[in-house]
Amino acid sequence: MWDFLRDPVDNHHNAVMDGGWAAVIAGAAGAGDAGLAAWATAHAMIKQVHIQASDQHAHWLREQRQDAYVTLLAATDDVYDKLNPVIAAVQFPGSEPDLNFRAAWADMNTAVRVSGRATRRVGIVGPPDMVLNALQLQESIRATVNIWRVADVPTDQRAMQHAETQRGWERAEDAFRLAAYETISVTRSRPDGPDQPGLMPPRIRAHYRR
């Protein structure tokens, strides 16, 4: 449910050697220079290993970023869901006798901590603009939650503060989602045609919940 489409690694770099080195090797072999041909072959193979390693690293990093971004979005959803019982308990005390106020706050605090860990993971995989967006999202989440931590605030005033901070939360989440799309939907060259944009991951595309 939460998985991204797995993007294939570009294959157009994965030929054994490019035409230039093939010509050098063929010319050296034709001239009877076995040493030069062997050197050129080894050089071409080393070059190919470096290309493949670079492609594999880029693919690995892209997958790590996808997973980190979707983890933070999922954690954000969980905070939003866990906040609703807290709001009900604060605004309408005693209206839901089965609601355990302390348990609701414990669940809320756990969800906030999980979102904090998800934010720190984005800080590890980057890039820098995504780290900034993740920090802004985390700040807006905590600002919204903290509205309900303060005691003895008139109901109308608390509701107005909540509406304002939640709008900031929604803006920060939209900005994070858009930045995530732009980061992982990179343009790739294809050997059989023009450059094609990457697909928008379905988890991000389907994330407009509000």
Side-chain angles (χ1 to χ4, degrees):
M1 177 179 178
W2 304 106
D3 291 341
F4 285 103
L5 290 177
R6 297 304 181 187
D7 298 321
V9 177
D10 293 340
N11 294 319
H12 65 284
H13 291 305
N14 293 334
V16 174
M17 60 192 70
D18 61 29
W21 279 109
V24 170
I25 294 168
D33 192 339
L36 178 59
W39 176 86
T41 300
H43 187 87
M45 292 178 65
I46 292 172
K47 179 182 178 182
Q48 179 59 24
V49 168
H50 288 167
I51 290 173
Q52 289 177 337
S54 177
D55 286 345
Q56 290 170 1
H57 176 73
H59 182 67
W60 173 85
L61 181 58
R62 186 162 58 248
E63 288 192 333
Q64 292 298 312
R65 286 174 170 173
Q66 288 174 348
D67 190 59
Y69 301 162
V70 77
T71 297
L72 179 53
L73 289 172
T76 300
D77 282 347
D78 195 45
V79 174
Y80 188 80
D81 292 340
K82 294 299 192 302
L83 181 59
N84 289 328
V86 170
I87 293 175
V90 173
Q91 285 188 321
F92 310 106
S95 63
E96 299 182 40
D98 294 333
L99 178 62
N100 185 319
F101 182 78
R102 293 195 178 194
W105 265 114
D107 291 344
M108 175 78 264
N109 290 332
T110 297
V112 172
R113 285 195 297 271
V114 170
S115 72
R117 288 196 294 269
T119 299
R120 290 192 292 274
R121 186 180 176 197
V122 174
I124 293 173
V125 299
D129 61 332
M130 286 304 303
V131 178
L132 178 60
N133 278 282
L135 290 173
Q136 290 173 339
L137 175 56
Q138 181 65 201
E139 182 180 354
S140 67
I141 289 173
R142 291 177 181 269
T144 303
V145 171
N146 288 340
I147 293 297
W148 302 96
R149 298 189 190 278
V150 182
D152 301 326
V153 177
T155 300
D156 291 345
Q157 180 181 343
R158 196 190 301 270
M160 292 176 59
Q161 292 173 340
H162 174 80
E164 181 179 353
T165 57
Q166 185 173 356
R167 283 193 295 270
W169 176 348
E170 292 171 358
R171 287 192 297 268
E173 187 174 353
D174 287 343
F176 179 85
R177 187 186 304 107
L178 178 60
Y181 163 66
E182 292 175 345
T183 299
I184 63 181
S185 298
V186 295
T187 299
R188 297 179 179 84
S189 297
R190 293 178 51 181
D192 56 346
D195 289 352
Q196 299 292 331
L199 293 175
M200 185 176 188
R203 175 62 183 92
I204 291 180
R205 186 177 61 242
H207 191 70
Y208 288 86
R209 56 178 170 78
R210 291 196 277 272

